[in-house]
Amino acid sequence: MFVQIISKNNIDNLLGIDEYQRNSLVVFHSSNERKQLNRYLEKIKEKYGNSINITSIKYSSLEDLLTKIKKLKPKYFQFNDLKIAESLAIISGIDRDVTEIVFYDSDSMNLIKYKNSKIESVKKKNEMLEVSDYIELAGGDVELDNNDVFDRLIDDGSLNMILDDFERWRRFSRAFVDPNVVVENETRPLVFTVKFKAVDRRLIKYFQEYVDHFVEKDYFRVIADNMDRTIYRFTDANLKSFFKLSGSWLELITYKAVEDLKLDDIDASVLFTWDNEVKNFENEIDVLATKNGKLVVISCKDTKKVNKEYLNEIIVNSSQLGDDNVIKALATTSKLINESFFVRAKELNIAIIRYDGDFEEFKKSLKEITK
């Protein structure tokens, strides 16, 4: 018998269960943790089918938990660092010569085992968790991602065009979101007008080349044309967000770099909602990936100067999704990063990765934090 305690997102529980899945599983939960319990049980069924015999037991207090564990005499118990008081109550009620205590160490990704006054650290085998596993266990639902759009931009050569001169592309992308240059149609959201005379004369040649490229690749089509302006229509609503958010190109480059590193699962521009039954609160994270069961959270900021609020945003999102079982990074083009920002990022265990036009060096930096 393997005993676990329900916690906020149960990622550590899910990572610990594989070692003991041939045993019956007992899951303790409090009365206000029914949603977390159901999400966890659904995820176990999704991963293992009906191969695990599961019993859920509700407890009302630490004393009640202590009483109930004494009756069970389990073979294994997983210590939960998000439920320290409850874990200690269980430890005080078990016979340590009978029950092996296990703990999933998210830093080393090892299982720490304790029995008969002996401690053993065992390297855990690679775990194929997906980004959606983290989101769903935390109580979210994935609504949208940009994987198809980004894959298309990579496959048809658009990414290489951006990499060839990212500074020129930056100027184009910022001009494309300038309402004096590109005017959106209020009644037809996929239709827009480009006023070529409003484009900076130093950029106009390349602006026209980029637009022609995306017409050729069927991202948008010409509806009407005259001497100084042209009306276009996006061929797909999902394409519009890439062009209308000037920093999307950095997300694309980061997505490609992470893809090249061959992590377990990757999603770009992930839009998800929390507790959709009660409220409709949306959240978006630029790049999410998993590596050996660990979540990778990367925020991308194409900006002149970084802000400490960017770090807080990463902490809030990573804490909600995976607590300490997360690799955190900020990818940025900023050259204006002061020492206090680096110090704060280090305190929060957030890697700062600059993109300065060298894609291979950028990829190398990402590899360092995900190895």
Side-chain angles (χ1 to χ4, degrees):
M1 180 191 300
F2 183 37
V3 170
Q4 293 181 324
I5 309 172
I6 285 294
S7 60
K8 185 173 70 175
N9 52 45
N10 295 296
I11 283 293
D12 284 3
N13 282 341
L14 189 64
L15 288 166
I17 198 175
D18 190 63
E19 186 83 3
Y20 304 95
Q21 63 173 296
R22 294 174 186 170
N23 297 278
S24 61
L25 176 66
V26 173
V27 183
F28 280 103
H29 67 97
S30 64
S31 58
N32 61 355
E33 291 174 324
R34 176 60 63 176
K35 284 186 178 180
Q36 291 92 323
L37 172 68
N38 289 339
R39 288 196 294 264
Y40 183 47
L41 297 184
E42 286 172 9
K43 187 59 65 176
I44 292 175
K45 187 173 183 180
E46 177 188 317
K47 296 288 182 182
Y48 301 104
N50 296 315
S51 64
I52 303 176
N53 181 25
I54 304 173
T55 303
S56 60
I57 301 176
K58 183 169 70 174
Y59 64 91
S60 57
S61 65
L62 295 179
E63 292 76 15
D64 185 35
L65 184 59
L66 176 61
T67 300
K68 287 175 176 174
I69 197 67
K70 284 181 178 179
K71 296 177 182 178
L72 286 178
K73 298 180 181 179
K75 187 174 181 180
Y76 306 101
F77 163 63
Q78 183 172 351
F79 189 98
N80 193 319
D81 60 352
L82 295 178
K83 289 283 190 172
I84 292 177
E86 291 82 354
S87 293
L88 291 175
I90 286 180
I91 287 176
S92 67
I94 60 175
D95 183 342
R96 298 190 197 183
D97 292 327
V98 173
T99 303
E100 179 175 283
I101 300 169
V102 299
F103 173 70
Y104 179 76
D105 180 16
S106 57
D107 288 333
S108 65
M109 292 184 286
N110 289 351
L111 280 174
I112 312 300
K113 302 181 178 183
Y114 175 79
K115 187 179 180 182
N116 298 327
S117 300
K118 293 181 180 179
I119 296 178
E120 180 186 7
S121 180
V122 179
K123 188 66 180 176
K124 196 171 185 317
K125 66 180 181 181
N126 293 352
E127 198 74 51
M128 286 291 290
L129 289 189
E130 298 177 352
V131 167
S132 59
D133 292 333
Y134 274 87
I135 293 173
E136 289 165 5
L137 280 172
D141 292 302
V142 178
E143 303 293 338
L144 186 68
D145 64 55
N146 262 353
N147 292 13
D148 290 343
V149 173
F150 282 10
D151 288 339
R152 177 176 174 179
L153 287 159
I154 292 168
D155 293 341
D156 68 14
S158 298
L159 171 65
N160 289 334
M161 181 183 69
I162 295 169
L163 291 175
D164 285 344
D165 193 330
F166 91 96
E167 288 288 5
R168 183 185 295 161
W169 172 264
R170 265 174 108 188
R171 293 195 294 273
F172 164 77
S173 65
R174 288 175 179 176
F176 203 88
V177 297
D178 182 347
N180 296 313
V181 175
V182 177
V183 182
E184 295 192 54
N185 189 304
E186 293 183 0
T187 58
R188 301 170 68 191
L190 296 184
V191 174
F192 61 95
T193 301
V194 177
K195 298 179 179 179
F196 286 99
K197 279 192 174 181
V199 179
D200 189 302
R201 61 182 179 82
R202 293 167 296 183
L203 178 62
I204 185 61
K205 175 186 174 183
Y206 302 110
F207 191 99
Q208 184 70 65
E209 286 180 0
Y210 285 138
V211 170
D212 290 345
H213 168 84
F214 288 112
V215 170
E216 178 190 345
K217 299 299 182 182
D218 201 33
Y219 286 76
F220 30 83
R221 297 171 186 167
V222 176
I223 295 178
D225 190 17
N226 62 32
M227 292 183 64
D228 66 345
R229 66 185 61 195
T230 305
I231 301 174
Y232 300 90
R233 179 176 62 83
F234 286 104
T235 56
D236 189 321
N238 293 329
L239 299 171
K240 183 177 178 179
S241 64
F242 177 76
F243 292 92
K244 298 310 292 181
L245 297 173
S246 62
S248 293
W249 67 272
L250 183 57
E251 293 179 31
L252 171 63
I253 287 173
T254 304
Y255 174 80
K256 172 57 176 171
V258 173
E259 185 181 63
D260 285 355
L261 296 178
K262 300 188 184 305
L263 303 192
D264 297 333
D265 187 35
I266 312 165
D267 284 324
S269 304
V270 187
L271 179 69
F272 53 94
T273 53
W274 295 112
D275 283 335
N276 208 24
E277 296 176 1
V278 180
K279 56 186 178 181
N280 189 21
F281 178 70
E282 290 186 343
N283 201 356
E284 184 173 0
I285 299 178
D286 296 329
V287 178
L288 286 171
T290 55
K291 170 73 179 293
N292 294 342
K294 205 160 193 173
L295 184 68
V296 181
V297 174
I298 306 175
S299 178
C300 302
K301 301 295 182 184
D302 175 27
T303 181
K304 289 183 178 179
K305 189 174 182 180
V306 292
N307 188 310
K308 288 184 180 178
E309 284 302 310
Y310 299 159
L311 302 179
N312 294 336
E313 175 187 305
I314 294 170
I315 288 298
V316 169
N317 286 329
S318 59
S319 176
Q320 185 73 32
L321 291 175
D323 293 291
D324 58 351
N325 201 43
V326 182
I327 296 169
K328 306 178 286 289
L330 172 66
T332 181
T333 56
S334 176
K335 299 176 183 177
L336 303 174
I337 307 178
N338 57 42
E339 188 60 30
S340 66
F341 187 88
F342 283 113
V343 170
R344 183 55 178 156
K346 188 175 181 180
E347 290 173 348
L348 298 173
N349 201 24
I350 299 173
I352 307 300
I353 302 174
R354 281 200 61 244
Y355 183 77
D356 59 4
D358 189 333
F359 179 69
E360 291 303 319
E361 192 62 31
F362 181 70
K363 186 163 63 175
K364 183 179 177 182
S365 298
L366 284 169
K367 184 177 181 179
E368 280 297 308
I369 69 169
T370 57
K371 66 181 182 181

